[in-house]
Amino acid sequence: MNEKEKRDVALFRYSLISPLLHNYENHKDYLEKMGEKVHDVPHHGERRIAAKTIQEWFLKYRREGLEGLIPRGRSDRGQSR
């Protein structure tokens, strides 16, 4: 995945958590509602995203900012077990 694709995914993740950041909705209700929907994820197609995953993105954003939402490669890539 190149840098533009990673940035697109990070912005998509931000778009999902932004209502939580601005207290537009109750966190639990919003997470349940978003977990039931099918989302069009950039460069990945249509996917369901678990409420727990969205909550993890929210916490990463609060700790690391937008950099925390950028997808990272596997640390064990290229190594056999």
Side-chain angles (χ1 to χ4, degrees):
M1 190 180 294
N2 65 35
E3 293 303 314
K4 182 189 179 318
E5 292 171 346
K6 287 181 181 181
R7 189 179 66 237
D8 290 345
V9 172
L11 292 174
F12 167 76
R13 291 175 178 180
Y14 179 80
S15 73
L16 284 182
I17 65 167
S18 63
L20 298 174
L21 296 169
H22 302 293
N23 294 323
Y24 291 141
E25 296 194 39
N26 180 352
H27 284 229
K28 185 177 178 182
D29 294 340
Y30 178 76
L31 290 172
E32 288 176 6
K33 184 170 56 173
M34 289 295 110
E36 295 170 356
K37 290 178 115 178
V38 175
H39 302 276
D40 187 22
V41 182
H43 311 288
H44 295 287
E46 292 185 350
R47 311 260 179 183
R48 285 192 190 272
I49 300 172
K52 177 106 172 120
T53 301
I54 298 170
Q55 184 178 19
E56 289 173 3
W57 292 342
F58 173 69
L59 296 174
K60 279 185 129 181
Y61 180 82
R62 290 188 62 188
R63 283 191 307 259
E64 302 174 33
L66 196 56
E67 293 292 319
L69 299 178
I70 295 174
R72 293 181 175 84
R74 291 180 53 121
S75 61
D76 64 348
R77 183 174 180 192
Q79 300 174 0
S80 61
R81 292 206 251 171

